[in-house]
Amino acid sequence: MNTNQSPFKYILEGPTGATTNIQNKEMLYFAGVGYFQLHNHPDIIKASIDALQKYGISSATSRSGIGTTDLLLELDTKIAEFFDTDDAVYLPSGYLSNIAGIQALKAMGRFDIIFMDEVVHYCNEEAALTAGVPIFTFKSRDSKDLEHQIKTHLKASEKPLIVSDGMFPVWAWMAPIPEYLAIAEKYNGVIWVDDAHPVGIIGTNGRGTYDYFKLKSDRLFMGATLSKAFGAYGGFIPGSEEFIYHVKHGHVIDGSSSPVSAAAGAALKGLQLVGENPQWREQIRKNAVRLKDGLRAIGLEIEHNDFPITSFKVGGAEQMQKIHAELFKRNIYIQYTKYIGAGPEGVLRTVMFSTHTNEQIDHLLDNLKTII
């Protein structure tokens, strides 16, 4: 093992956007998850600076100590309003939202055993371990196998927790939550969804997976992040008054430092901007369809959806790495990744922003035609 080799191969030299400076080269950029490219929006930068000047970096204690400012309370309220729930809570990171949410459900006695999609994001695996209950996996997005596992392992007196990503980050596959909900109702269970990618970009109101499927139930729970579509940073959990009470009184809130004020200020503005500009969601869908149609025209197998993430395979790992490197030489950056769900050979992965132009998308397609 070469411990001197850095895992950070590509270094950004400025903010991300449709064009991004990577290692002193201006690149057409089709990566990351800044779907509306708000991370450098002037209104968000100003809101972040204003919060920093008023509150300093942070309160240097946990939210349950003396670390909750009026800024954080306002953000809790605005998150609840955006997601149309009784209450919400803002957390230092999206990664922590899964731990906090699952621990709160355990404290409420809502489950005794966990059934988890086999390719969930590892933050959910780690969150499940903190519950101290048996954990069983089921085939990804397979409701029949989920029910089989429940029938096999659930005792008569037990209640199940079903854990899944809402949208899986490599292929942008949606979990079949309506089918899971029917199973949860049948076995008196609940569902936890890590909704990091869908929030802000899908659903009638941009509220993510449950909004996309038009579902409401007291068996449905979720957590997510403000670091993607909303142009900020930090995690959050919306929900009922009782559920959020248990989140606020849990170990994550009690034991972690209060979130950074600049991020909270940015998040407030990001929620406002995304709420006021539904046309951004429409534009990102149009861009996604343009790219996917163009990739199919080249002869690639592409999912039939209008989600901004598009992944594809071309040959094996070596060939995909060569395609990635050749695009980089041509000042175009897409990802070659072996992220969760990509498989051992990896995939080539692109992400559309609402700010990509037709010309930029077509330039990527034209170059891929000459390389593949």
Side-chain angles (χ1 to χ4, degrees):
M1 179 184 296
N2 181 5
T3 57
N4 293 321
Q5 184 176 355
S6 172
F8 312 120
K9 186 175 180 181
Y10 299 100
I11 308 302
L12 295 172
E13 296 176 338
T16 61
T19 59
T20 298
N21 197 295
I22 304 174
Q23 295 172 191
N24 205 31
K25 293 177 67 176
E26 186 174 87
M27 314 284 289
L28 274 181
Y29 184 69
F30 299 94
V33 283
Y35 297 114
F36 303 132
Q37 285 304 296
L38 294 179
H39 295 77
N40 198 40
H41 191 287
D43 290 351
I44 286 186
I45 296 296
K46 182 179 184 303
S48 180
I49 291 171
D50 289 347
L52 183 64
Q53 289 179 330
K54 181 175 181 179
Y55 297 97
I57 299 295
S58 75
S59 58
T61 184
S62 69
R63 284 202 61 177
S64 60
I66 192 66
T68 294
T69 61
D70 54 350
L71 172 68
L72 297 179
L73 290 176
E74 182 182 3
L75 182 51
D76 291 344
T77 298
K78 293 300 181 182
I79 292 168
E81 289 176 359
F82 188 97
F83 288 90
D84 191 28
T85 56
D86 296 339
D87 201 357
V89 63
Y90 178 54
L91 301 156
S93 75
Y95 204 100
L96 289 172
S97 68
N98 301 283
I99 299 173
I102 288 175
Q103 288 182 351
L105 290 171
K106 183 66 168 61
M108 294 168 68
R110 296 299 301 267
F111 69 90
D112 307 288
I113 185 170
I114 295 175
F115 297 89
M116 186 165 54
D117 188 291
E118 64 185 356
V119 294
V120 292
H121 193 279
Y122 32 73
C123 62
N124 294 288
E125 295 181 22
E126 295 172 9
L129 288 171
T130 70
V133 302
I135 301 169
F136 297 93
T137 60
F138 60 91
K139 294 176 184 177
S140 187
R141 299 172 296 112
D142 189 331
S143 57
K144 290 183 179 178
D145 189 54
L146 167 62
E147 186 159 18
H148 170 71
Q149 296 299 328
I150 289 176
K151 286 180 178 178
T152 302
H153 300 289
L154 188 72
K155 296 176 183 176
S157 61
E158 292 179 332
K159 300 184 289 293
L161 168 64
I162 301 165
V163 177
S164 178
D165 290 7
M167 178 189 288
F168 291 84
V170 169
W171 298 103
W173 289 327
M174 295 297 296
I177 300 300
E179 296 172 21
Y180 293 175
L181 180 57
I183 293 171
E185 290 170 345
K186 183 176 180 180
Y187 295 94
N188 194 26
V190 291
I191 297 172
W192 175 262
V193 163
D194 178 348
D195 226 26
H197 289 274
V199 292
I201 63 168
I202 70 169
T204 303
N205 302 287
R207 294 173 185 153
T209 296
Y210 299 148
D211 189 23
Y212 177 77
F213 287 116
K214 296 179 170 56
L215 295 174
K216 284 206 169 192
S217 170
D218 62 1
R219 299 184 187 275
L220 297 174
F221 299 88
M222 57 86 77
T225 180
L226 294 158
S227 66
K228 299 182 185 340
F230 298 102
Y233 191 82
F236 66 90
I237 301 174
S240 68
E241 184 178 353
E242 179 189 8
F243 174 52
I244 299 303
Y245 171 87
H246 284 279
V247 176
K248 289 178 178 178
H249 288 79
H251 288 167
V252 171
I253 292 292
D254 188 48
S256 59
S257 294
S258 184
V260 175
S261 60
L268 271 172
K269 181 56 68 172
L271 282 164
Q272 177 189 339
L273 290 173
V274 171
E276 291 175 350
N277 291 279
Q279 72 275 10
W280 292 346
R281 296 198 296 275
E282 179 61 28
Q283 185 60 53
I284 208 171
R285 287 194 289 269
K286 289 179 180 177
N287 287 352
V289 169
R290 187 181 189 91
L291 176 68
K292 291 172 196 281
D293 286 348
L295 291 172
R296 289 191 200 98
I298 297 172
L300 298 173
E301 292 187 13
I302 302 298
E303 289 289 316
H304 286 273
N305 59 46
D306 58 2
F307 303 147
I309 299 170
T310 306
S311 295
F312 54 94
K313 291 181 181 284
V314 182
E318 184 177 355
Q319 185 175 355
M320 287 188 282
Q321 288 171 21
K322 287 180 178 178
I323 293 169
H324 176 268
E326 181 58 32
L327 286 172
F328 193 85
K329 288 180 183 177
R330 300 182 186 195
N331 295 339
I332 300 172
Y333 186 87
I334 68 172
Q335 289 177 287
Y336 167 73
T337 180
K338 293 185 177 181
Y339 202 59
I340 307 159
E345 294 293 310
V347 298
L348 291 167
R349 180 177 184 270
T350 65
V351 177
M352 284 290 97
F353 307 148
S354 59
T355 56
H356 280 125
T357 65
N358 289 342
E359 292 75 20
Q360 289 169 333
I361 298 168
D362 293 345
H363 186 66
L364 169 60
L365 291 167
D366 290 342
N367 277 273
L368 282 170
K369 286 177 189 177
T370 65
I371 296 171
I372 295 176

